[in-house]
Amino acid sequence: MPRLLLTRWAAVTMALAGVAVPVGTTDHRAGRDAGAGRPALVRPLGHQSRGEAEGSYAPRSMVAAPTVGLLANSTAVEGVPPSVARGARYVEGSHVLRLESGRWMYLPEAGTAPAVVTSGHPPARQQIAQSRAWLASGRVPGRTPAQRTAAERALLSMRALLRPNGAMAAGASPGWTYSWPRDSSFASAAFAHTGHDAEAYRILRHSAATQREDGTWEARTKLDGSGRPDGRRWQLDANGWVPWATWQWYRTAPRAARRARLATLYPMVRKAADHAAGTLRKDGLPPASPDYWELMTTSTNIGTAAPLLAGLNAAADLARELDLPADTARWARAAGRLSSGISARFAPLGYQRTVDGRHGHDSALAFMAPPFNAAPAGLPAALDATYRALLLPNGGLTPGNDPAAPWGANAWTPSTGFFALAWAATGRPEKAGPVLDWILAKRNPLGELPEKVDGQGRPSSVAPLAWTGSIVVLALVALDGTALPTPPLRP
């Protein structure tokens, strides 16, 4: 574990027997690699590929033990390591930890260092009340107590990872304390569909602030918005995800001022959609680009094509809302070309990862389903076949079965969640429910959703992961019977 974290959490451990004792003096907030010489992305277990992101990977031994929970106030978040979380539980509806001793640990308001206090400590109780009030101001989806408990924890974790400037941290461990446009877009949609309009819009404003001049985004950015943390290649899929998230926000936003607020975001949407449309080749497909695996492919992948289709359809409909017929027509034509290209090249292969058919099945197939895209005719069968192909003995899914990039025995909760969301949003609750139940059963003892599940079925890697939380929340909204809207494909 890096020295700064050791200093902080060693002090926490020493303070556990005390009362109202502030612990730690170092400044380790989300977005700052504590003691790290350079940002690192942990290589997936067994991953042997040699992609463009290769230089950004680091051995597991160089990375601190991933967090298993969060302490948070309105301006800062602190990851909780496994050693501190042992025997602890959150006070319901909050990020205050009830320790095994019965004392509470929390992150005082305006502070960056945790404090251990007696249970019932008034400032901690006030923080609990504020968290519960925020939950009550929106909607906690779920048909069962277990589902609502999981949704509540996911929403609180996403709120904690959202910075005041709108940057959405993927997690609170070094290597995850950055903002990915893709993860942020999912979180914005989840906030929007649970009644947390301010948080959804704040994320979109940050996306606008970090957009590059040519309309694209870096693969990830520092949480202060100052730029990319490393040299990994940018990803074209963000040009689909951000307009899609903007459209989802608009469909849920309070009507009184939503048109004026959309006008503020529209320059971002226009630049993103124009760039996406401009990349389409004669066959209607975009060029090869790193997909959500953050690895380059040699031919067009479904993990880029499907989000761009969602984004172009979303942009066209937003232009219609603002009475901009030229933009509407331009992006609708581009979406039509892309849709035709996907039907011609990906559909005959069962929507495998790439159009050359050399990289196997991919969980990104689910991006062709609602709430991203209106499901094409052959998609239900392809979803079923891909799910079977990617299913691991532990009950979760590997992101893909590309023979050149094995993922080992780890299941990834986002990839598994894609199918729960796709089936929930297409009216197949009998298939979505068991997949979602599997994910919820893999929450760690604090109730946080992990990024991965190991071969023995145990939560693994960082927890919580904002992306998984947002996918679970959206799936629960759909299973509640609320139809998630899908951008229309216009003729």
Side-chain angles (χ1 to χ4, degrees):
M1 187 177 291
R3 186 179 62 182
L4 289 179
L5 279 177
L6 280 174
T7 302
R8 168 66 56 83
W9 290 109
V12 170
T13 303
M14 293 175 65
L16 292 181
V19 178
V21 180
V23 289
T25 56
T26 56
D27 184 9
H28 175 58
R29 301 171 213 171
R32 299 182 63 180
D33 281 354
R38 64 181 179 86
L41 179 66
V42 178
R43 180 191 303 284
L45 183 64
H47 203 298
Q48 303 298 324
S49 71
R50 294 292 184 267
E52 292 226 6
E54 181 69 22
S56 299
Y57 284 105
R60 219 170 265 279
S61 60
M62 290 178 58
V63 183
T67 59
V68 295
L70 302 173
L71 302 176
N73 57 34
S74 61
T75 59
V77 63
E78 181 82 14
V80 178
S83 59
V84 172
R86 191 172 297 115
R89 293 292 185 273
Y90 289 117
V91 176
E92 183 181 355
S94 78
H95 275 109
V96 175
L97 273 182
R98 180 182 288 111
L99 301 171
E100 194 171 24
S101 66
R103 292 182 171 85
W104 287 358
M105 179 186 291
Y106 81 118
L107 193 62
E109 192 60 34
T112 60
V116 178
V117 298
T118 55
S119 63
H121 185 61
R125 290 181 61 184
Q126 183 178 10
Q127 191 179 97
I128 294 168
Q130 289 170 344
S131 292
R132 291 175 177 174
W134 179 81
L135 285 169
S137 71
R139 167 190 180 187
V140 178
R143 293 184 174 182
T144 68
Q147 289 177 346
R148 288 191 291 275
T149 297
E152 177 182 280
R153 180 52 48 196
L155 285 166
L156 286 172
S157 296
M158 288 191 293
R159 183 191 185 214
L161 291 168
L162 177 60
R163 302 296 78 223
N165 66 353
M168 187 77 205
S173 292
W176 286 264
T177 52
Y178 304 105
S179 179
W180 277 259
R182 172 192 59 246
D183 302 42
S184 299
S185 294
F186 274 75
S188 177
F191 280 134
H193 285 286
T194 52
H196 299 292
D197 173 81
E199 288 78 7
Y201 189 66
R202 195 193 323 163
I203 291 171
L204 297 173
R205 290 296 301 270
H206 183 76
S207 294
T210 54
Q211 187 179 36
R212 302 193 301 186
E213 284 300 317
D214 65 354
T216 64
W217 282 267
E218 297 289 356
R220 61 180 188 170
T221 56
K222 298 176 183 177
L223 295 182
D224 63 5
S226 62
R228 60 181 183 173
D230 57 24
R232 76 182 58 193
R233 183 167 176 159
W234 67 279
Q235 297 170 213
L236 183 55
D237 63 345
N239 286 61
W241 291 128
V242 176
W244 169 81
T246 304
W247 187 86
Q248 293 289 342
W249 160 77
Y250 185 79
R251 291 295 299 265
T252 64
R255 291 183 175 272
R258 69 173 185 171
R259 204 168 186 273
R261 295 163 74 203
L262 173 59
T264 301
L265 297 173
Y266 192 74
M268 169 188 73
V269 172
R270 173 180 279 145
K271 288 196 296 183
D274 276 343
H275 187 95
T279 68
L280 302 184
R281 305 175 312 210
K282 289 183 179 180
D283 63 359
L285 295 178
S289 171
D291 54 10
Y292 84 92
W293 293 20
E294 301 198 355
L295 295 172
M296 187 63 178
T297 57
T298 56
S299 59
T300 305
N301 58 66
I302 193 65
T304 298
L308 289 187
L309 179 60
L312 285 167
N313 284 322
D317 201 53
L318 291 172
R320 181 191 60 80
E321 288 286 337
L322 293 179
D323 300 320
L324 298 169
D327 286 356
T328 300
R330 183 169 70 257
W331 299 330
R333 285 194 301 270
R337 290 178 55 217
L338 177 52
S339 179
S340 296
I342 291 173
S343 295
R345 301 292 302 280
F346 281 103
L349 298 172
Y351 300 93
Q352 291 190 26
R353 186 182 182 202
T354 55
V355 291
D356 59 15
R358 297 167 54 190
H359 296 280
H361 293 279
D362 195 304
S363 60
L365 148 80
F367 301 157
M368 287 299 298
F372 312 110
N373 291 293
L379 192 68
L383 280 169
D384 292 348
T386 302
Y387 182 84
R388 290 192 299 269
L390 302 184
L391 186 62
L392 295 173
N394 67 9
L397 298 188
T398 180
N401 61 0
D402 185 342
W407 292 89
N410 282 330
W412 283 56
T413 55
S415 293
T416 308
F418 296 161
F419 286 80
L421 177 55
W423 281 326
T426 52
R428 302 175 75 185
E430 75 286 352
K431 296 188 76 69
V435 177
L436 191 60
D437 287 345
W438 181 89
I439 297 172
L440 299 189
K442 301 307 177 184
R443 289 175 293 155
N444 69 18
L446 290 180
E448 301 284 16
L449 291 159
E451 181 182 48
K452 304 174 193 174
V453 176
D454 69 16
Q456 288 70 51
R458 299 170 300 198
S460 176
S461 189
V462 67
L465 187 73
W467 195 17
T468 298
S470 60
I471 295 166
V472 165
V473 167
L474 288 170
L476 286 172
V477 168
L479 285 175
D480 269 358
T482 302
L484 292 173
T486 302
L489 177 62
R490 299 187 174 280

